[in-house]
Amino acid sequence: MATSSVSKGCFVFKPDFKRKKVSFPIADYFNEGESFSEDSKLRFDTCQLLWQQMKSEAEELQEELNKSLFDSLIEFLEKSHLEFRKKSTNWNYQIKCREIPTAALVLGVNVTDHDLTFKGLTEMLKDTVTPYVVSLQAKECPDVKHILQKLASQLMGCCIDMESTEEECVQSSQRKMHYSMAFLSTWYRSVTQKTGSESVNKKITSFSHWKESPPIVIILKDIESFSTKVLQDFIIISSQYLHELPIVLVFGIATSPIIIHRLLPQAVSSLCIELLQSLSCKEHLAKLLDKLLLTTQFPFKLNEKALQVLTNIFLYHDFSVQNFIKGLQLAILEHFYSQPLSILCCDLSEAKKRIHSLSEDQCESIRRLPSFMRYVEKQTPEKQVASLTDERFLKEETLRFLEELHSYHENFFLVLKCLHAFTSSLPKYPLGRQIRELYCACLEKNIWESQEYEPALQLLRMLAKDELMAILQKCLEVFKSPPGKQLGGTVEKLQEFLVQFQKLEEIESNEEENGSGSQQKGLQKTDLYHLQKSLLEMKELRSSNKKQTKFEVQRDRVVDFIDNLVRKYLSPPDTQTLYEVVYFTGAHVLREHLNAAPRIALHTALNNPYHYLKNQALKSEDDSIPNVAPDICIAYKLHLECSRLINLVDWSEAFATVVTAAEETDPNSTASEEIKEIIHARFIRAVSELELLGFIKPTKQKTDHVARLTWGGC
Amino acid sequence: MMNHLKVKEGKMLEVQFVGDDDVLNHILDKEEGAKFRKDRTQLLVNVKKLMKKQENDLNEDDQEDLKDENYVDILGGDTQESLKNGRVAGSSSKVYSFQTRKNPEKMAELAHELAKTPGKSTSLISKENAEKMANTPQSSKKQSTSDKDQLKSDEKNEFLSTPYRLRKRLTVSTLPSDTESEYSDSNSEDEKGVKQEEEEKINEVMDQKRVVKHKSSSSSCKKVSAKKMKKDTTTDLVEEYFEAHSSSKVLTSDRTLQKLKKTKLDQQTLHNLLSKFSPSFSAELKELNEQHEQLFHKWMLQLHLGFNIVLYGLGSKKELLEKFRASMLQDSIHVVINGFFPGITVKSILNSITEEILDHMGTFRSVLDQLDWIINKFKDDSSLELFLLIHNLDSQMLRGDKSQQILGQLSSLPKIYLIASIDHINAPLMWDHSKQSLYNWLWYETTTYKPYTEETSYENSLLVQQCGTIALSSLTHVFRSLTPNARGIFRLLIKYQLENEDNPSYIGLSFQDFYQQCREAFLVNSDLTLRAQLIEFRDHKLLRTKKGTDGVEYLLIPIDTGTLTDFLEKEEKES
């Protein structure tokens, strides 16, 4: 092979320098390299378009969510070096001057998302506050020297950006010199003076009041991984220079603010910390789902299993919204890749056009959709024939179904949100606290048939009036938010309920006066017996007259109304015809590719080769393997029987026993010696493969022994 | 005593089951505790040897197994058992005189190993046999043997009805008792035989109980028990772990490869031998590979969309990736990186990118600088595209945190497409969340069952003799580049070392002696020149110096005597 050598590990291949349009259109890979590309290209473009839209939507959301955090940070920055700018000399400032203003950003454990936040932060700061933004990572800063070096180079770097490249050569000479805080402060003075006098720079002008002396913002991305000593030294040094350099520190914290005190038991006194909390990742996810999936804006949807997989990865593995988005991207890609009808997974208006140009094959695949077949079966014979034979009729039907699907989704999400408003505040959250849980439940089956639905309604029937009214108000907002013409009458109905409740309030306030009078009667002195008796009577009275208060009647009506809405609109998507077009169903694909289990795969391959090699000879019950299995499987099986150390001799003999038994060679033959040799060689190979896989390692504890690195099954 | 035992052994051949009382009486007759102890160990040793013997003569065994089967067919299960014992006893008589003690645990372990091996013969009679065995009382002395034998016969006849866990458990539970009795032997040197008998009795009862339990569960309600076992799996795992790691001492047999005369093979012979062996299931393997090859287009698509691909699963993935390279990457720039190559470093990977792809001739202060430079280059030039194929991303050289970080950063560039393979079971532990997000992996399971020929060929494998040829050639190379005087010096040292070949306490030639010898041979004139010459050898790892207990420096050539004699012969021939 061209890529194996005993002296080299890297092999570079460059195609001939003809430059003959090296970049293949990616879409070519979309359809397994087959050539009916028209359709696949369209599909791929749709996929890309959809993904781009969703991505930008997600980014927008991210920005929006970060906005409040950033705003408060900027506010903090403004406050921080007020005195410095005024060059004030009062005594109070002199004291404070020893304290570095520090913003502690608590960002949560989803470290992978932080990068994006910091990127946004840096950009925003550079645009609005100061050009001097430095971001440091723990792994770049093993000691103070490195910190200063990084600091200087990044500061100089942004300085270069601003002052064109005039001092390029000076820069390179500076690179080698020793950086110190003193050096930095002289640099800073010269820079600020220069800009102060020239003030030609366009960028600087935008900084308005920062112009005089923009602060130097130092972002420490992962404060937890910095070593205490380095950080402490750095803080002490920089606090000494605070009157010359307006330094502001920003700590990125993944765990909890206490970490600052734990990391910096002494230096903490020279910090003036302000705590800023970012939105929790769970809320972020909820918002993201709301924007991307619980909307009719994007036609693409996940089915219950796929959504479960993605949320499980989120909840049990990393809390990373970015990874969730990545999973979504994969889902979209897979959907368009594997479902030929996904070509219709686009805007309704676009779909109309595409339906007209559907090819015969595509029509056929529509007919083959389970949901469509289910629909056809229910039709009259004439219609059945028509939809199975008449292409035009089929196209009309398809369009109708797509429209239905669209309106189904519109209603579905409205009612879903409405139901969520009702159930999210119930004690113990019978239908889930987050909307995604409720959504999953609704996707899975008829929600009203689930066990939790009845108790939830029971609880709803016990809501107090003000709670109920708040919820109704929320629902009303939900229904009003889109320019909705759907669900005719629901808005009016809700409004009516609200009005009635308000009326009730007035009435009740009147009643209350009466009630208070009656209550006073009850407050007479009684003994226990009488009290019990009267309570019993009251209870009987209540149950017997059954006549609830007006409020209760009204409340029941509201609950019934919601119940009706749910039953009418929240049927799971697989009841809809043509739902396959927009719903991604390959949950296993997501799991395989995003949350793989290499250890299990390895174990299965070693333990049960039949799982991969479908040969009857390899089939076996329970956990044993037949002796004809691949060598490595046999060696593995044998080694499982050993404890920590394995004697190679014994192992090899056991191996040989099994293998010779499998070979069924005639041991009398003269070649037996050679066969033995070969078996030994096979054993050697199996052992070194197991070593490569990490099951054993050589040990010096005993001659010709290897140590086992695993225990138990695997 | 000896005779008597033999007689007993003979008895056992004829009468399978000796009543407990008989045996006890028999022993009590002899009465002397110490002697009894000896007997007992002897017997155990005997048994062990039998088993070992059995293994050693594998071919014989198989032959005899075949014969056994015939017998089995005719005579039924019980006789088979006795026959086996008989045969074993017979063949053991030769080894009888040696009385080396073996670790009891290892013995049992071996038995299991054998037990694990399903034989080619099929016979259901052994099932009956097993059941019968369960009901029959057995002699206490025979207990351990028969137990193991039984297991063995089970397996030999492909009687694998016992669920694996159960079997394991059984063996685990019997192991301690075996060792216990063995230990108690050595501890209770002065104890009376009576006590031992008691102990033995207890052991026996326990063993029997176990056997009965084992049998009943295996024969009648194995399904149920298997389910039960599953419940216990977790606790079992924990137990197993602590069992394996509890004592610092692990009991294994002391057998070494040298005694077996199975010398280490060198890489070439190994390769030759293996080429003679054709793996089975080629049709299935081909099918499996074709399945993977269908994914090529998808991989390309996903690579282009910003994902990177990692392949896992048993079997070498080199060939698959090579195919991928050949079919998909012919028109694009790509780098193939053999992670398993022992000399690979991140630096060399980056170098090949900067020098050969980006045509940069300068050097970099650090790897991080280099990385930054590459990143900038790729950002500037949007027409650049690069495929990285890394075989064994989890290899020794690349698995370090820093290497992974750099590779991750490299792969996170939108125009660098990474497709890598991993094999180690713990490979995913290399990546924390942030690295994983850098890599942006899509996982693909590609189990190929292909032998890791190339991947393991570099490795200093356990049983492969590595140093032989390479050391010899490097020795000659270095030697030829030396001055005649230096050659003489080295030859002196070699000869001295070869003379002391048989001296086990030889720790090397002391520097002073060496200097004296060299002076006498007119090779050096001062110890400084000698030291200067030695530096040369040391740099080539041809010499090792060691301070002895008396503070004197000793010189030693760290190459085995075989190679040295070869070398000397060769040199003398040439000169």
Side-chain angles (χ1 to χ4, degrees), chain A residues 115-309:
Chain A
D115 268 349
L116 218 62
T117 313
F118 282 120
K119 216 170 120 195
L121 178 66
T122 322
E123 272 166 24
M124 196 234 17
L125 286 178
K126 278 191 177 166
D127 284 350
T128 58
V129 183
T130 168
Y132 310 122
V133 182
V134 180
S135 46
L136 298 174
Q137 270 178 305
K139 54 178 172 285
E140 304 168 338
C141 310
D143 48 36
V144 177
K145 195 182 133 204
H146 274 90
I147 292 191
L148 289 176
Q149 217 163 35
K150 277 272 159 198
L151 200 63
S153 65
Q154 285 195 33
L155 284 177
M156 307 288 185
C158 56
C159 170
I160 280 202
D161 280 346
M162 290 167 52
E163 296 165 15
S164 69
T165 49
E166 43 171 320
E167 284 173 304
E168 193 85 44
C169 42
V170 186
Q171 271 304 303
S172 54
S173 68
Q174 270 173 352
R175 280 212 149 198
K176 264 116 202 168
M177 65 181 294
H178 185 71
Y179 294 110
S180 68
M181 262 332 208
F183 168 74
L184 272 182
S185 78
T186 51
W187 164 82
Y188 182 75
R189 214 179 303 133
S190 72
V191 166
T192 45
Q193 268 166 14
K194 203 187 278 177
T195 51
S197 58
E198 291 175 12
S199 76
V200 205
N201 208 302
K202 281 166 271 162
K203 253 190 179 172
I204 283 287
T205 48
S206 68
F207 297 145
S208 60
H209 56 280
W210 301 100
K211 182 162 53 179
E212 281 293 293
S213 49
I216 296 172
V217 179
I218 301 170
I219 302 173
L220 304 176
K221 283 185 179 173
D222 40 355
I223 192 80
E224 282 94 346
S225 354
F226 278 92
S227 81
T228 304
K229 199 179 163 300
V230 175
L231 214 53
Q232 193 128 349
D233 289 351
F234 176 69
I235 287 171
I236 289 169
I237 293 171
S238 38
S239 72
Q240 296 300 318
Y241 282 89
L242 212 55
H243 56 281
E244 289 169 45
L245 290 169
I247 291 174
V248 180
L249 295 178
V250 176
F251 291 167
I253 296 173
T255 51
S256 88
I258 301 170
I259 196 76
I260 301 178
H261 297 267
R262 204 169 291 161
L263 259 175
L264 306 165
Q266 280 135 48
V268 85
S269 59
S270 52
L271 297 175
C272 172
I273 300 173
E274 174 136 342
L275 210 61
L276 300 168
Q277 190 99 29
S278 79
L279 194 69
S280 90
C281 48
K282 269 199 248 167
E283 280 169 57
H284 190 170
L285 182 72
K287 291 238 164 83
L288 189 82
L289 283 179
D290 190 51
K291 286 270 184 213
L292 297 184
L293 289 179
L294 303 179
T295 169
T296 46
Q297 192 188 347
F298 303 111
F300 176 79
K301 300 280 174 290
L302 292 172
N303 82 338
E304 188 255 339
K305 290 260 169 54
L307 186 62
Q308 278 293 355
V309 169

Side-chain angles (χ1 to χ4, degrees), chain A residues 627 661, chain B residues 65-66 69 80 118-123 153-159:
Chain A
N627 48 18
Chain B
D65 264 4
L66 272 173
E69 269 162 56
Q80 189 213 14
K120 60 189 175 228
S121 50
T122 48
S123 134
S153 66
D154 283 355
E155 308 301 342
K156 275 267 150 113
N157 297 312
E158 207 166 46
F159 169 56

Side-chain angles (χ1 to χ4, degrees), chain B residues 504-570:
Chain B
S505 61
Y506 174 73
I507 52 165
L509 178 57
S510 78
F511 182 79
Q512 276 310 317
D513 291 349
F514 190 39
Y515 174 56
Q516 209 55 46
Q517 285 185 25
C518 289
R519 251 183 98 93
E520 280 160 15
F522 298 110
L523 290 170
V524 292
N525 53 5
S526 78
D527 64 344
L528 277 180
T529 40
L530 178 60
R531 276 191 196 280
Q533 299 280 16
L534 291 184
I535 287 172
E536 180 91 9
F537 302 136
R538 208 175 301 160
D539 287 348
H540 285 101
K541 300 222 162 55
L542 294 178
L543 189 73
R544 209 188 288 151
T545 53
K546 217 194 239 168
K547 277 257 162 67
T549 43
D550 45 357
V552 181
E553 232 180 319
Y554 286 99
L555 307 171
L556 190 72
I557 302 174
I559 296 169
D560 60 323
T561 45
T563 319
L564 283 181
T565 28
D566 280 356
F567 171 71
L568 266 193
E569 275 170 21
K570 225 171 147 191

Side-chain angles (χ1 to χ4, degrees), chain A residues 472-630:
Chain A
L472 278 177
Q473 200 65 48
K474 248 196 254 172
C475 291
L476 204 57
E477 278 163 30
V478 167
F479 280 106
K480 273 180 177 171
S481 57
K485 54 211 177 281
Q486 319 79 23
L487 286 175
T490 312
V491 180
E492 288 76 26
K493 193 87 180 175
L494 281 171
Q495 256 161 347
E496 195 189 309
F497 279 132
L498 266 177
V499 169
Q500 275 170 345
F501 276 121
Q502 265 152 10
K503 268 188 201 162
L504 267 180
E505 209 164 329
E506 285 158 23
I507 296 168
E508 229 164 71
S509 61
N510 295 338
E511 269 181 2
E512 223 166 79
E513 280 160 27
N514 302 344
S516 63
S518 68
Q519 254 192 353
Q520 267 173 358
K521 253 187 255 172
L523 275 176
Q524 287 168 343
K525 263 193 176 178
T526 54
D527 54 18
L528 190 63
Y529 172 72
H530 277 109
L531 180 69
Q532 279 179 336
K533 202 177 165 188
S534 58
L535 281 175
L536 267 176
E537 272 171 13
M538 276 165 75
K539 204 177 173 190
E540 266 171 40
L541 206 71
R542 272 206 190 151
S543 53
S544 65
N545 73 354
K546 274 275 178 183
K547 217 188 114 220
Q548 301 146 305
T549 61
K550 276 183 183 169
F551 165 66
E552 280 167 337
V553 175
Q554 200 64 29
R555 185 171 60 186
D556 281 355
R557 278 175 60 198
V558 171
V559 175
D560 288 340
F561 174 69
I562 293 300
D563 189 31
N564 279 336
L565 275 184
V566 167
R567 279 167 202 271
K568 194 168 170 195
Y569 296 112
L570 277 191
S571 52
D574 49 17
T575 56
Q576 304 297 311
T577 316
L578 289 193
Y579 79 96
E580 291 97 336
V581 170
V582 295
Y583 276 87
F584 173 67
T585 48
H588 64 282
V589 181
L590 292 182
R591 177 165 289 149
E592 262 167 39
H593 295 328
L594 294 175
N595 194 16
R599 247 183 119 123
I600 292 173
L602 212 54
H603 182 66
T604 321
L606 287 168
N607 238 345
N608 183 15
Y610 180 71
H611 188 263
Y612 293 96
L613 306 172
K614 301 284 181 208
N615 190 313
Q616 283 308 311
L618 287 172
K619 206 165 182 178
S620 64
E621 318 90 53
D622 42 51
D623 272 334
S624 63
I625 56 166
N627 48 18
V628 287

Side-chain angles (χ1 to χ4, degrees), chain A residues 409-418 478-479 482 486-487:
Chain A
H409 278 136
E410 272 176 348
N411 298 336
F412 185 91
F413 294 129
L414 285 179
V415 175
L416 182 75
K417 280 170 193 168
C418 179
V478 167
F479 280 106
Q486 319 79 23
L487 286 175

Side-chain angles (χ1 to χ4, degrees), chain A residues 4-5 593 605 612 650 658, chain B residues 106 117 255 443 445 449 454 458:
Chain A
S4 47
S5 147
H593 295 328
Y612 293 96
D650 296 345
V658 179
Chain B
K106 187 63 204 172
T117 64
R255 309 163 69 199
W443 298 73
E445 185 186 334
Y449 281 101
E454 205 173 331
Y458 291 108

Side-chain angles (χ1 to χ4, degrees), chain A residues 441-457:
Chain A
C442 291
L443 286 176
E444 195 189 354
K445 57 179 182 189
N446 290 332
I447 181 82
W448 59 89
E449 281 166 7
S450 71
Q451 277 186 342
E452 296 84 9
Y453 186 71
E454 269 312 310
L457 280 195

Side-chain angles (χ1 to χ4, degrees), chain A residues 572-706:
Chain A
D574 49 17
T575 56
Q576 304 297 311
T577 316
L578 289 193
Y579 79 96
E580 291 97 336
V581 170
V582 295
Y583 276 87
F584 173 67
T585 48
H588 64 282
V589 181
L590 292 182
R591 177 165 289 149
E592 262 167 39
H593 295 328
L594 294 175
N595 194 16
R599 247 183 119 123
I600 292 173
L602 212 54
H603 182 66
T604 321
L606 287 168
N607 238 345
N608 183 15
Y610 180 71
H611 188 263
Y612 293 96
L613 306 172
K614 301 284 181 208
N615 190 313
Q616 283 308 311
L618 287 172
K619 206 165 182 178
S620 64
E621 318 90 53
D622 42 51
D623 272 334
S624 63
I625 56 166
N627 48 18
V628 287
D631 293 346
I632 189 169
C633 301
I634 292 168
Y636 172 76
K637 261 296 186 202
L638 291 170
H639 111 287
L640 282 184
E641 296 299 313
C642 295
S643 62
R644 241 179 342 142
L645 291 182
I646 308 170
N647 186 322
L648 277 174
V649 184
D650 296 345
W651 195 5
S652 95
E653 276 171 6
F655 179 80
T657 324
V658 179
V659 172
T660 36
E663 298 258 297
E664 292 184 45
T665 44
D666 191 11
N668 284 337
S669 68
T670 47
S672 118
E673 193 55 38
E674 195 191 345
I675 285 174
K676 263 189 182 174
E677 282 271 284
I678 291 179
I679 288 174
H680 187 60
R682 282 164 62 187
F683 172 70
I684 290 175
R685 181 169 67 184
V687 168
S688 42
E689 281 174 355
L690 282 180
E691 192 190 347
L692 180 85
L693 293 177
F695 285 103
I696 53 165
K697 68 167 187 196
T699 175
K700 292 231 165 88
Q701 282 182 38
K702 220 169 168 188
T703 44
D704 289 331
H705 274 66
V706 289

